[in-house]
Amino acid sequence: MHRLKLDSEETHTPAYSGRSFTHEVPKYRLPAQGMDADAAYQLVHDELNLDGNPALNLASFVTSWMEPQANALAAETLDKNLIDQDEYPQTEAIHERVVSMIGRLFHAPAHEQPTGTATIGSSEAIMLGMLAHKRAWQRRREQAGLDSSNPNMVIGADVHTCWEKFARYFEVEARIAPMEAGRYTIGAEQVESLIDERTIAVAGVLGTTFTGQMDDLASINELLARLDTQRGWHIPLHIDAASGGFIVPFSEPDLEWDFRLSQVRSINVSNHKFGLVYPGMGTVVFRDRSDLPEELVFHINYLGGDMPNYSLNFSRPSNSVVLQYFNFLRLGREGYQRIAATVIENAKALAAGLAKIDGLSLLNDGSRFPIVALTADDPQSTDLTALSHLLRERGWIVPAYTLPPKAEHITVLRMVVRESFSRDMAEILIHDVHNALHALRHGGRDGRPRKRIHC
Ligand SMILES: Cc1ncc(COP(=O)(O)O)c(C=O)c1O
């Protein structure tokens, strides 16, 4: 175990941590003694340089840039726990305003105060939404004197892993409508045969993780409305708007995907995606209070006052909620509209540039969601996985992966265009993809480029 020696070299603060350490720094056991704060900072800072650069990470939907004023607010609120509602009543008031603004943005019924909560992300939001539907379904069955075991939910293979996580963790059978070559979303036709009286909810996605496309939500809504009338099955439609929830309301305000559809009872959104706040923030909103069974809401009083709480976690940072409120005030509807239009324009330009490269075809041209997805015309001569690795050498993080079941033979390269990705960066990326593909096709046997990539 290394001990910091208090010899003359270490009596002054080291400008660089390397000056303090000639021995190994403990990594897996708590060091017996501490070290100078500057040295600790520098050590951790240096290690993190090995991470990818968030600005070049096109794999992620998550916000990697906010304005300096937001950074200041984030730092000022680092010490406040969102759960301490009684101690931080103003933070809680801001939390309620944020949920309310989102509920109204998604057209929750005007006569009600929108019901919902901030979460750590869409995964927690989806779990909370689905838990509410599971419990409501069980109570309905019990009240009707029917068996309430073996609940199921109907989802497409295009859903994010968190849906399958919910199924496994909370013991709900996942009935999954497969994809097929050329169709990477679902509609009523794909889900109808999977639904029965034990279906607690059907999921529809606004902007899928895999291709950035949208399920046919209107047709699923119609189907569920029909099943309600004809068979008396009250099956909620939950919309997973993780990535689309802060794009579509601004880019296509007339598109009815939200509570304007009669069977939509809950919606989740990742605020840390196009809500434009740093990671750690999602929201679930319900159509109205009756969708959240009262027995799931905990009333806690040991922090003072009555604190109603519906969450999987107890403590959590408050700063992402504060940052969301900052963005709502700072940008307003007009600002979000402008940013949604810009990211879509940049995605379209990126897609158009990449489409000109020989051997690549667009699966998503970025014109509805700022997501560009490509396939190889001939996977033998255009290895997208190798391309992704070559781009990584240049700094770009652009994932290549296979599509979900029944379309798993198709590999796609996907790029998420965020606010921090400019047209200038799009042009450089197009150039780099072009060069990397050239190197792959004409490089040495190891596939490494012979020519240096310049841009
Ligand atoms: C459609 C969809 N749903 C859910 C999630 C999970 O979201 P989060 O990372 O906010 O938990 C994602 C993440 O990318 C997603 O794309």
Side-chain angles (χ1 to χ4, degrees):
M1 187 78 57
H2 168 67
R3 294 178 64 175
L4 195 66
K5 282 188 248 105
L6 293 173
D7 56 24
S8 59
E9 286 256 49
E10 291 168 292
T11 51
H12 52 83
T13 307
Y16 219 88
S17 59
R19 292 187 187 169
S20 294
F21 298 97
T22 51
H23 305 285
E24 194 184 339
V25 174
K27 290 190 174 58
Y28 304 108
R29 280 181 209 280
L30 188 66
Q33 290 186 333
M35 62 178 76
D36 183 86
D38 286 338
Y41 168 81
Q42 199 66 50
L43 274 174
V44 178
H45 175 90
D46 287 356
E47 274 202 35
L48 292 177
N49 281 336
L50 291 166
D51 278 344
N53 180 344
L56 301 182
N57 181 4
L58 303 189
S60 178
F61 290 82
V62 174
T63 302
S64 53
W65 176 85
M66 290 192 77
E67 293 179 282
Q69 293 83 348
N71 293 341
L73 271 176
E76 283 165 27
T77 50
L78 268 176
D79 55 355
K80 288 189 186 169
N81 188 350
L82 189 69
I83 197 71
D84 293 342
Q85 295 170 14
D86 213 50
E87 289 82 342
Y88 308 127
Q90 209 48 39
T91 301
E92 179 51 22
I94 286 175
H95 174 204
E96 282 170 21
R97 287 180 208 164
V98 165
V99 171
S100 178
M101 285 188 192
I102 294 171
R104 295 204 158 102
L105 182 68
F106 296 168
H107 297 92
H111 60 277
E112 288 223 26
Q113 180 66 16
T115 300
T117 185
T119 59
I120 285 295
S122 276
S123 304
E124 187 192 1
I126 287 166
M127 308 231 179
L128 292 175
M130 293 304 287
L131 271 175
H133 297 315
K134 179 184 176 191
R135 186 53 61 93
W137 174 83
Q138 284 170 330
R139 291 290 167 260
R140 281 199 302 277
R141 298 280 293 180
E142 285 160 11
Q143 278 156 17
L146 297 166
D147 173 44
S148 64
S149 60
N150 302 321
N152 70 65
M153 66 180 188
V154 175
I155 57 181
D158 56 343
V159 292
H160 185 267
T161 353
C162 64
W163 283 90
E164 287 164 64
K165 215 180 212 187
F166 168 79
R168 217 176 290 172
Y169 289 0
F170 294 98
E171 299 181 335
V172 173
E173 180 199 350
R175 295 189 173 172
I176 306 175
M179 307 286 93
E180 60 187 45
R183 180 185 53 71
Y184 311 111
T185 55
I186 55 164
E189 205 184 315
Q190 285 72 44
V191 296
E192 183 159 11
S193 61
L194 301 176
I195 297 173
D196 64 18
E197 59 180 349
R198 291 176 191 272
T199 303
I200 61 165
V202 176
V205 188
L206 189 78
T208 69
T209 321
F210 297 97
T211 62
Q213 294 168 318
M214 182 168 41
D215 286 337
D216 183 354
L217 304 173
S219 77
I220 299 174
N221 186 68
E222 242 171 69
L223 168 68
L224 296 181
R226 176 159 57 77
L227 291 174
D228 198 344
T229 321
Q230 291 177 352
R231 314 193 72 150
W233 296 346
H234 306 305
I235 302 174
L237 175 53
H238 175 100
I239 305 293
D240 179 352
S243 56
F246 280 110
I247 292 288
V248 177
F250 306 108
S251 59
E252 300 178 60
D254 296 331
L255 182 77
E256 299 196 343
W257 63 273
D258 51 16
F259 292 119
R260 284 168 289 180
L261 297 178
S262 60
Q263 309 306 304
V264 173
R265 310 292 320 180
S266 51
I267 301 175
N268 68 275
V269 67
S270 294
N271 304 68
H272 52 216
K273 293 179 179 150
F274 292 100
L276 307 174
V277 303
Y278 292 131
M281 170 85 180
T283 306
V284 58
V285 274
F286 293 94
R287 182 180 203 88
D288 60 52
R289 189 61 215 246
S290 68
D291 289 300
L292 174 57
E294 191 51 42
E295 63 192 289
L296 294 183
V297 180
F298 282 76
H299 292 266
I300 329 162
N301 64 10
Y302 50 80
L303 296 171
D306 172 48
M307 300 180 349
N309 173 252
Y310 184 45
S311 63
L312 296 182
N313 307 293
F314 188 69
S315 297
R316 59 151 288 164
S318 63
N319 52 9
S320 50
V321 177
V322 172
L323 292 188
Q324 185 61 90
Y325 189 56
F326 164 81
N327 265 351
F328 285 168
L329 297 186
R330 160 82 175 116
L331 296 171
R333 199 176 266 276
E334 187 273 333
Y336 273 100
Q337 222 148 18
R338 190 166 27 79
I339 290 167
T342 307
V343 288
I344 286 175
E345 277 311 308
N346 284 342
K348 277 167 35 186
L350 175 63
L354 293 172
K356 286 192 192 133
I357 298 176
D358 219 22
L360 297 178
S361 286
L362 288 176
L363 206 149
N364 189 338
D365 67 1
S367 57
R368 278 194 104 171
F369 290 105
I371 286 150
V372 177
L374 295 153
T375 52
D377 296 339
D378 173 16
Q380 298 302 322
S381 62
T382 308
D383 180 345
L384 293 183
T385 309
L387 173 62
S388 165
H389 290 150
L390 262 191
L391 289 172
R392 186 75 198 249
E393 288 184 11
R394 171 88 167 132
W396 298 111
I397 302 173
V398 178
Y401 50 82
T402 54
L403 289 177
K406 302 252 167 106
E408 60 269 84
H409 56 288
I410 300 167
T411 300
V412 298
L413 196 71
R414 190 209 58 188
M415 287 145 256
V416 181
V417 174
R418 304 193 304 271
E419 190 195 3
S420 48
F421 186 78
S422 64
R423 183 69 67 94
D424 180 51
M425 294 301 278
E427 281 161 13
I428 298 172
L429 178 56
I430 294 164
H431 188 267
D432 286 352
V433 169
H434 186 275
N435 274 359
L437 265 179
H438 185 273
L440 269 183
R441 289 174 184 151
H442 307 288
R445 270 198 316 215
D446 58 359
R448 295 177 82 82
R450 281 193 183 129
K451 282 199 298 183
R452 282 194 64 75
I453 297 171
H454 295 288
C455 197

